């Protein structure tokens, strides 16, 4: 059945309805799209602050990476300090371990593996020259024997600090056996005193000091080094040996300390103003060289900084007098430094008696002849003699046996430190010798010891070449060895002393320095020089143990003060 055709009117109505429906659908779609766009816009508006914050925080983080300058300096300083501290601890630990655990030594023997003789080298003394030689010497090249009645090395530059307790006495000594044990080759040590030297037969006689009834020991040598030092010289002035205290050994420092304490305790029991009390509290130091000046300075520091706290009444009555025969103290220093030192002493109330020669000494007073020929008597409770060097008996006996030894000032040596009259076998170093231009100081002895260590290495090479020549039959090799021997004999250098300067402590944490660098000279004084003085003396110590103990003594003294008892 077919549908009837629509009326044209209805067809027109349907067409209009279809258009209306299409328009409605388009409107709905547009409305949905508009709603979605609005939603997206609202979402963007919501997250935009967060994006801004994120971007701003990122830029801020980039900005904070570039820290302010002061923060970078502090950070680098802390890191540098930490690294330096770590390196310092490592170095200290290694130094302690190395000294406490020496390597195994090569034992002594009569011959070397090639059959040549191992020569015997005897070193007399344990002072600056002898110990420096022992430390610098290759002890595997010789059978080394050390003979000394003193079983330790004494760091003499700080000896004036010990009687008043600025530095402890054990801090400035190093056992000879410790030094010998750290050598690469075995070293034999005799705690004995050389009583006789036979330069012709190359023998020495030693007496052990451990027992007064010990039997003398005779030792043979191929090479002998005499470094026995010197003893205090009183210049024949009566009463000095009987009444004065010297300042050359640890026992001297102990004696001075006991006398200081005894004079104070005895003075306390006497009425104030009495002549005996004044005498007991009068301390006199004879000698205006570095030793006398530094001891007077240390003594004055002890009085002002420590006794002033614990016994203030007595400390104000104590007087310190420095006696010197020359017109000024510290004659080896630059004139400007001498003037600075004298002005500082006068300011600190250390009385200077210049151009005053001691005539005699008794148990209570020193008699002096002053510049104007006036005789002056100076009462004392403590007298310290810190001037002059005299030769020991073994040195005098050796000089008497050798014709070329015609000087009373010491053993005469040549430019290679060989003893005149026995240049082939005997060397002499330190305060027991005399040679123009070489003064009796630790600096000279130290350089002499280093020089001799090189010379003995050179002599070993000569001996080895001579042995090869005596055992070689090949003529071509023999010619080469003779040329080598001639070259070695002509290559030995003379000893040349290099003066690097002088230091002296003046009290109140002030010091002076007269330094030489090549052809240039520099002078310095004051508190900064005092720090340099301390650093220089620490660097001169022969072991890390000494450096540590001395440094800790200075720290303890600054924090706790000096000990005011024996």
């Amino acid at each position: 059945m077919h549908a009837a055709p629509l009326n044209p009117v209805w067809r027109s109505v349907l067409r209009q309805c279809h258009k209306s429906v299409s328009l409605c659908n388009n409107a709905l779609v547009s409305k949905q799209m508009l709603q979605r766009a609005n939603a997206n816009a609202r979402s963007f508006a919501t997250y935009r602050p967060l994006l801004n914050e994120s971007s701003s925080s990122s830029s801020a983080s980039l900005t904070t990476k570039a820290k302010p300058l002061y923060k970078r300096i502090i950070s680098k300083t802390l890191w540098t300090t930490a690294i330096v501290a770590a390196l310092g601890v490592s170095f200290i630990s290694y130094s302690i371990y190395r000294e406490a655990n020496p390597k195994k030594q090569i034992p002594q023997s009569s011959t070397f593996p090639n059959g040549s003789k191992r020569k015997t080298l005897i070193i007399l003394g344990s002072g600056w020259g002898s110990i420096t030689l022992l430390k610098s010497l290759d002890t595997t090249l010789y059978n080394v024997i050390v003979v000394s009645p003193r079983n330790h090395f004494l760091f003499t530059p700080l000896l004036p600090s010990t009687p008043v307790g600025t530095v402890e006495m054990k801090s400035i000594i190093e056992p000879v056996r410790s030094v010998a044990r750290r050598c690469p080759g075995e070293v034999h040590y005799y705690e004995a005193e050389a009583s006789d030297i036979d330069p012709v037969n190359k023998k020495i006689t030693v007496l052990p000091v451990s027992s007064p009834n010990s039997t003398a020991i005779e030792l043979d040598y191929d090479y002998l080094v005499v470094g026995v030092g010197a003893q205090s010289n009183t210049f024949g002035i009566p009463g000095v040996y009987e009444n004065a205290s010297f300042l050359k050994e640890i026992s001297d420092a102990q004696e001075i300390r006991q006398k200081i304490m005894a004079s104070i305790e005895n003075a306390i029991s006497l009425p104030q103003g009495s002549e005996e009390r004044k005498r007991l509290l009068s301390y006199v130091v004879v000698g205006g060289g570095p030793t006398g000046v530094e001891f007077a300075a240390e003594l004055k520091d002890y009085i002002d900084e420590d006794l002033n706290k614990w016994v203030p009444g007595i400390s104000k009555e104590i007087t310190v007098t420095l006696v010197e025969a020359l017109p000024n103290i510290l004659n080896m220093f630059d004139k400007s430094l001498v003037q600075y030192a004298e002005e500082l002493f006068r300011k600190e109330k250390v009385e200077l008696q210049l151009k005053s020669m001691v005539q005699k000494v008794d148990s209570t007073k020193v008699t002096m002849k002053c510049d104007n020929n006036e005789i002056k008597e100076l009462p004392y409770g403590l007298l310290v003699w810190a001037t002059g060097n005299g030769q020991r008996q073994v040195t005098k006996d050796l000089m008497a046996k050798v014709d070329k030894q015609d000087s009373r000032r010491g053993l005469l040596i040549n430019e290679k430190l060989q003893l005149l009259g026995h240049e082939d076998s005997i060397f002499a170093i330190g305060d027991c010798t005399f040679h123009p231009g070489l003064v009796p100081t630790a600096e000279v002895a130290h350089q002499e010891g280093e020089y001799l260590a090189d010379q003995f290495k050179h002599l070993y090479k000569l001996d080895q070449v001579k042995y090869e020549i005596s055992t070689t039959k090949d003529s071509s090799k023999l010619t080469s060895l003779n040329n080598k021997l001639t070259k070695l004999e002509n290559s030995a250098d003379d000893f040349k002393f290099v003066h690097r300067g002088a230091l002296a402590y003046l009290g109140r944490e002030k010091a002076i320095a007269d330094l030489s660098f090549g052809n240039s000279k520099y002078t310095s004084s004051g508190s900064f020089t005092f720090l340099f003085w301390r650093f220089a003396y620490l660097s001169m110590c022969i072991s890390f143990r000494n450096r540590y103990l001395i440094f800790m003594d200075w720290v303890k003294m600054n924090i706790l003060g000096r000990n005011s008892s024996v």
Side-chain angles (χ1 to χ4, degrees), residues 88-101 103 544:
V89 170
S90 301
F91 174 75
I92 292 172
S93 302
Y94 171 73
S95 299
I96 293 174
Y97 176 82
R98 183 183 61 184
E99 289 189 0
N101 300 275
K103 297 180 181 179
F544 178 80

Side-chain angles (χ1 to χ4, degrees), residues 14-24:
L14 289 173
R15 192 179 296 117
Q16 292 296 328
C17 289
H18 185 269
K19 289 181 179 180
S20 298
V21 171
S22 298
L23 290 173
C24 289

Side-chain angles (χ1 to χ4, degrees), residues 480-499:
S480 174
L481 289 172
N482 282 323
N483 292 334
K484 185 177 180 180
L485 179 62
T486 303
K487 186 177 180 180
L488 282 172
E489 289 175 340
N490 296 330
S491 63
D493 296 327
D494 294 339
F495 173 70
K496 294 180 180 179
F497 171 63
V498 180
H499 180 63

Side-chain angles (χ1 to χ4, degrees), residues 203-220:
K203 296 178 182 292
I204 67 168
T205 303
V206 301
L207 293 172
V209 298
S210 57
S211 174
N213 298 322
S214 298
T215 306
I217 302 172
E218 196 172 75
L219 302 173
D220 297 323

Side-chain angles (χ1 to χ4, degrees), residues 103-109 118 138-140 183-187:
K103 297 180 181 179
K104 186 177 180 180
Q105 292 180 308
I106 298 176
Q108 294 190 359
S109 62
R118 188 193 295 266
D138 184 354
T139 54
T140 62
C183 295
E186 183 183 12
V187 177

